[in-house]
Amino acid sequence: MIDHEAGHLALRTQLVAISGLPSARAWENKDFTPTAGTPYIADQYVPATHRLLTTMAQGGSAVETGLYVIQWFGLKGSGISAIRTGAAAILAAFAPGSSFATTAGDTIRVRTDTAPVPGQILPLDKGWAVCTTKIPWQAYSHNVVAT
Amino acid sequence: MTDFADQMRAFSLKVETKSAAVFANVVSATQGSITDGSPVTGAPGQPVDTGNLKASWHTDFESPSSALISTNVEYAQYIEDGVVAVGSRRGNVTGGTLQRLTLRSAVGGFHSVAQTVAGFPAIVADEVAKAGAP
């Protein structure tokens, strides 16, 4: 099994390197109070499946999949340009086939059989609108059976 | 020669029958992944408050090889993305400062459709394996 904290941080490192990203960030499971009129970014790391690929359980190859969800909270009623430009920058940073090394020695790859997609811009209350980009990832690991 | 042709026809019929069954099972498993969750895709299924959204998902078979799984509930995309829908009571409860939903349902979660789409190849592989060789 990969180190998911390290995996999340590797993806987040790639995210924050994007030029033009809002400086306000609502990171997963951290308290955050948005400021009216100030766009912000939120992320969620969502592990999904873990499957053994080989018949050797101990030390066998396994593949894990999941989603990295990035939400760009922009300003409602200000048009689509800023949010769509941001979503396009996110897509460029997480192109299919991109790989990111983690501090734990794992490698997270953006899947190529299904690609990252930005969603519809949804209007929200209190002057916000959001665009959610979902990045499907996979990572290979060596299975460890507790003895 | 007739025997061989008969055998080929029988084999072809068997493949067609099995393909139709696999297709129906893939569609069923896909809808199940969205609504109830699935260990194959990792989708959590729909969260339940009133049960309206979960019950709204339905399948239309458009052709023998095409099906559309959909919902007409207007807040479905908001639940999928985990954000507070416009005018929802959840938005009022949070005082309007938070845009992200807090999961209160004991079952289900967010991103079920996305997880199902990402896991669709695994659904197909799983159903083909269950069906076995023709």
Side-chain angles (χ1 to χ4, degrees):
Chain A
M1 176 181 280
I2 67 164
D3 183 321
H4 286 293
E5 181 184 0
H8 189 167
L9 292 178
L11 292 167
R12 185 180 286 169
T13 299
Q14 178 70 5
L15 172 64
V16 299
I18 296 171
S19 173
L21 209 66
S23 57
R25 281 93 195 254
W27 294 147
E28 189 168 26
N29 201 30
K30 293 271 281 185
D31 289 337
F32 175 79
T33 303
T35 302
T38 304
Y40 68 96
I41 285 286
D43 79 340
Q44 298 164 58
Y45 178 86
V46 191
T49 65
H50 186 184
R51 190 163 58 94
L52 194 61
L53 295 174
T54 63
T55 52
M56 289 284 286
Q58 185 65 275
S61 294
V63 64
E64 298 179 50
T65 67
L67 294 176
Y68 185 48
V69 180
I70 302 167
Q71 293 180 306
W72 185 298
F73 290 88
L75 306 183
K76 189 177 178 180
S78 62
I80 62 171
S81 182
I83 296 177
R84 281 286 166 221
T85 300
I90 291 169
L91 285 182
F94 293 95
S98 304
S99 61
F100 312 106
T102 78
T103 55
D106 303 309
T107 300
I108 292 224
R109 293 179 175 81
V110 180
R111 285 173 60 173
T112 54
D113 57 341
T114 176
V117 283
Q120 174 188 359
I121 297 174
L122 293 176
L124 305 175
D125 278 334
K126 309 293 180 184
W128 300 96
V130 66
C131 180
T132 301
T133 300
K134 299 184 181 182
I135 295 153
W137 56 259
Q138 67 179 20
Y140 291 93
S141 63
H142 292 294
N143 197 48
V144 177
V145 179
T147 54
Chain B
M1 195 63 179
T2 305
D3 281 352
F4 179 72
D6 286 346
Q7 286 175 19
M8 284 305 294
R9 267 193 294 274
F11 178 75
S12 175
L13 187 63
K14 214 169 182 179
V15 168
E16 281 177 25
T17 305
K18 209 146 216 178
S19 295
V22 167
F23 173 68
N25 291 341
V26 164
V27 172
S28 174
T30 302
Q31 180 171 338
S33 173
I34 293 170
T35 56
D36 301 307
S38 163
V40 176
T41 64
Q46 300 296 296
V48 174
D49 182 3
T50 64
N52 178 52
L53 174 59
K54 184 172 179 177
S56 73
W57 285 96
H58 63 281
T59 298
D60 295 312
F61 285 90
E62 300 175 315
S63 75
S65 60
S66 171
L68 178 68
I69 301 170
S70 64
T71 172
N72 60 359
V73 169
E74 60 184 9
Y75 56 84
Q77 187 68 52
Y78 290 87
I79 297 295
E80 167 69 10
D81 291 344
V83 292
V84 180
V86 172
S88 83
R89 57 192 171 89
R90 292 287 161 79
N92 295 332
V93 167
T94 59
T97 57
L98 290 177
Q99 290 78 51
R100 290 182 296 172
L101 274 175
T102 300
L103 186 62
R104 301 177 192 201
S105 171
V107 297
F110 309 125
H111 316 303
S112 257
V113 175
Q115 296 282 41
T116 300
V117 170
F120 185 71
I123 291 177
V124 175
D126 189 52
E127 293 302 331
V128 168
K130 282 180 191 168

